Amino acid sequence: MSQLLHTMIRVGDLDRSIAFYTDIMGMKLLRKSENAEYKYTLAFVGFGEETTGQAVIELTYNWGVDNYDLGNGFGHLAIGEEDIYARCEAITAAGGKVTRAPGPVAGGTTEIAFVEDPDGYKIELIQKKSATAALG
């Protein structure tokens, strides 16, 4: 069966992004590689390896590019959490930015929150007990 392996996002400061995803979001740096000929570095972060069925995030740093126009096509990454309320407190305490406080989705009961990474990418936190249901 096919498996979603990773989502790639371009970042302006690789060390800052790795620190956010590992120190603040609790992921692990799984691997990192550099391509000097084409001037980019890749770092893969996640809660577990793809070989365990986990999807990961590929952070791509193109040397010399410190920011990107995020456009309006990309929405967000989503992460299931056991307790989004405690997670948001921990993210805030670690210096992360919560942009939507935890609580029920508008017009529904699914509990969500949003945080933002250092490059402005949105990350939705969904209470795990309802993470596989449609939002509502």
Side-chain angles (χ1 to χ4, degrees), residues 13-61:
D13 181 328
L14 188 59
D15 292 333
R16 178 186 69 186
S17 292
I18 291 170
F20 172 80
Y21 284 99
T22 58
D23 299 342
I24 294 176
M25 295 304 299
M27 296 181 185
K28 298 173 190 148
L29 175 61
L30 303 172
R31 61 189 174 279
K32 190 174 171 183
S33 64
E34 188 173 283
N35 187 310
E37 181 181 357
Y38 292 98
K39 299 181 177 156
Y40 68 83
T41 305
L42 306 178
F44 290 81
V45 295
F47 296 108
E49 293 280 355
E50 298 97 298
T51 57
T52 66
Q54 299 281 328
V56 304
I57 302 170
E58 173 188 331
L59 304 173
T60 298
Y61 173 64

Side-chain angles (χ1 to χ4, degrees), residues 10 67-74 116-117 119-122:
R10 291 177 178 88
N67 63 49
Y68 291 91
D69 176 5
L70 300 185
N72 62 4
F74 177 80
E116 189 174 283
D117 86 353
D119 288 283
Y121 292 106
K122 305 292 188 249

Side-chain angles (χ1 to χ4, degrees), residues 107-122:
T109 58
T110 302
E111 295 170 290
I112 66 169
F114 273 89
V115 300
E116 189 174 283
D117 86 353
D119 288 283
Y121 292 106
K122 305 292 188 249

Side-chain angles (χ1 to χ4, degrees), residues 113-131:
F114 273 89
V115 300
E116 189 174 283
D117 86 353
D119 288 283
Y121 292 106
K122 305 292 188 249
I123 302 166
E124 180 181 24
L125 305 178
I126 303 174
Q127 199 76 354
K128 239 182 183 175
K129 66 183 177 190
S130 58

